[in-house]
Amino acid sequence: MTRTIYNRLMFNPYSNYDLAIETDSFPDQFKEIYGDSVAIMFSQATYSNPWNKYRSQMMFWDYIMVSTDKILNNWRKGKYVRLPEKEPTMEEHFGMKKFGQ
């Protein structure tokens, strides 16, 4: 089981480059890419042994709708930060500020 720490909404889905969260143009850029809301669906692969009678499959959850205004309000409050510690295999990753940062 693995866990990903970065927020995919902080990357441009067309170029996969990170969005400039430190600039004042971030809200306009974010709205241009994502519009009024974003639909997020989580999925999890299940793996079974070759001799098991059940095949491997994907489990999907319902879509979660998130308003881009809510994301931008959190950005204005300073809740998003580019995390300084990163693995050498990752280009960038983003997260939420910890209490007291």
Side-chain angles (χ1 to χ4, degrees):
M1 191 117 191
T2 62
R3 177 175 71 116
T4 304
I5 300 173
Y6 59 89
N7 182 351
R8 289 300 309 160
L9 294 176
M10 295 299 127
F11 292 86
N12 186 330
Y14 305 110
S15 66
N16 210 27
Y17 288 112
D18 59 312
L19 298 177
I21 62 173
E22 297 90 5
T23 64
D24 293 336
S25 64
F26 173 74
D28 298 328
Q29 185 183 23
F30 193 80
K31 281 278 199 181
E32 181 180 336
I33 293 171
Y34 293 110
D36 293 333
S37 62
V38 178
I40 301 170
M41 180 197 298
F42 294 98
S43 62
Q44 175 65 50
T46 62
Y47 301 100
S48 62
N49 295 326
W51 54 85
N52 197 340
K53 69 178 183 176
Y54 299 108
R55 295 177 38 206
S56 299
Q57 56 187 333
M58 290 290 289
M59 297 185 310
F60 295 97
W61 283 261
D62 292 334
Y63 282 103
I64 299 171
M65 297 298 289
V66 179
S67 169
T68 54
D69 289 332
K70 177 68 174 169
I71 294 169
L72 292 175
N73 286 340
N74 287 338
W75 174 80
R76 286 183 187 96
K77 292 176 186 175
K79 290 189 175 182
Y80 299 123
V81 65
R82 183 182 312 258
L83 299 175
E85 66 278 351
K86 61 181 178 180
E87 298 177 18
T89 58
M90 297 173 65
E91 291 182 12
E92 296 288 344
H93 65 283
F94 301 87
M96 299 288 286
K97 284 186 179 177
K98 292 182 182 177
F99 183 74
Q101 261 188 339

